[in-house]
Amino acid sequence: AAAAAADEDFRGRAGEALSNSGSDGMLLLDPCMFNSRTVREACIPSANGHFSARALARVFGALACDGELDGRQLLSRERVHEIASSCSSASGGATWGLGFRHYPLMRNGATINTAFGHSGMGGSIALCERSEQLGVAVTVNKLTFEREATRRIVQNICSHFNLGTIDLAQ
C-alpha cells in the first residue's frame, strides 16, 4: 500500500512537473523519472529498456551474426538484412533502417556502412558491426548530454578490433 501511494504521488508530481516544464523536457532527463515504478512498468519501446551492458551486447552480437545467438536463430536473416539496409534519412545526415541508426565506419580512407544500433538516454549506446560479427553496448550510471565517455569507450573498442573510427555524431 505504501508503494502504491508513493507511486501515485510520483505520478502526480511528474504530471505537474511536465505541465510546468514548458517545452524544454528537462524532467525527461531526470534519472528518477526512469527509475520510477510507473515508467518501468509502462510500455515505452523507445525509452525504457532496462538491462545490463553485457545483456545488451549479446543481443546486438546476435544482430551482428545475422540474428543467431548460441546456435539459435532469434531473428530471421532476412529481417536483420532489412535492418542493415538504410531506409530513411534524418536531418544532419543520419540514416536509419527499421528503427536502428546506421553508423558509418571510416577505415583506410573509405566509409563502410556495416554498423548499426541505437543510442539511449544520457549516453548509453548499443551497436553491432556486422563484418566483424561484433556487438557492443555501453550503459551509463550518470546521465549526461555530453557523450564523451561513451564515444571514447566505443572508439577504444573499434581501435582494439582494427575497425577504424566510427562516427557517433552524424
Side-chain angles (χ1 to χ4, degrees):
D7 202 43
E8 184 62 36
D9 178 56
F10 172 80
R11 276 196 296 268
R13 287 185 295 117
E16 181 180 326
L18 279 173
S19 65
N20 292 333
S21 67
S23 62
D24 65 4
M26 289 303 293
L27 181 67
L28 297 178
L29 293 176
D30 181 353
C32 294
M33 172 70 88
F34 282 85
N35 286 328
S36 76
R37 182 176 177 187
T38 301
V39 173
R40 282 184 169 269
E41 291 177 351
C43 181
I44 312 171
S46 65
N48 72 338
H50 299 278
F51 25 67
S52 67
R54 179 175 294 184
L56 191 56
R58 280 182 50 83
V59 169
F60 276 79
L63 291 172
C65 294
D66 284 334
E68 187 176 317
L69 178 67
D70 298 334
R72 298 185 69 193
Q73 196 68 38
L74 302 180
L75 194 63
S76 73
R77 284 176 170 76
E78 295 77 24
R79 183 66 69 202
V80 175
H81 289 278
E82 286 181 61
I83 292 168
S85 300
S86 299
C87 62
S88 67
S89 295
S91 62
T95 59
W96 294 79
L98 295 183
F100 291 84
R101 182 166 173 195
H102 293 238
Y103 293 99
L105 280 166
M106 306 305 282
R107 190 182 305 157
N108 300 324
T111 301
I112 302 164
N113 293 306
T114 55
F116 63 84
H118 208 290
S119 59
M121 183 176 145
S124 296
I125 191 169
L127 53 94
C128 69
E129 204 294 305
R130 295 180 66 226
S131 68
E132 297 296 324
Q133 297 185 324
L134 177 68
V136 174
V138 177
T139 58
V140 297
N141 292 328
K142 183 178 180 185
L143 304 180
T144 177
F145 285 116
E146 177 259 299
R147 298 169 181 251
E148 183 60 25
T150 300
R151 189 193 64 72
R152 277 191 275 156
I153 291 167
V154 171
Q155 289 305 131
N156 284 336
I157 292 168
C158 288
S159 176
H160 177 80
F161 288 99
N162 295 314
L163 299 176
T165 59
I166 191 164
D167 186 359
L168 300 179
Q170 187 183 37

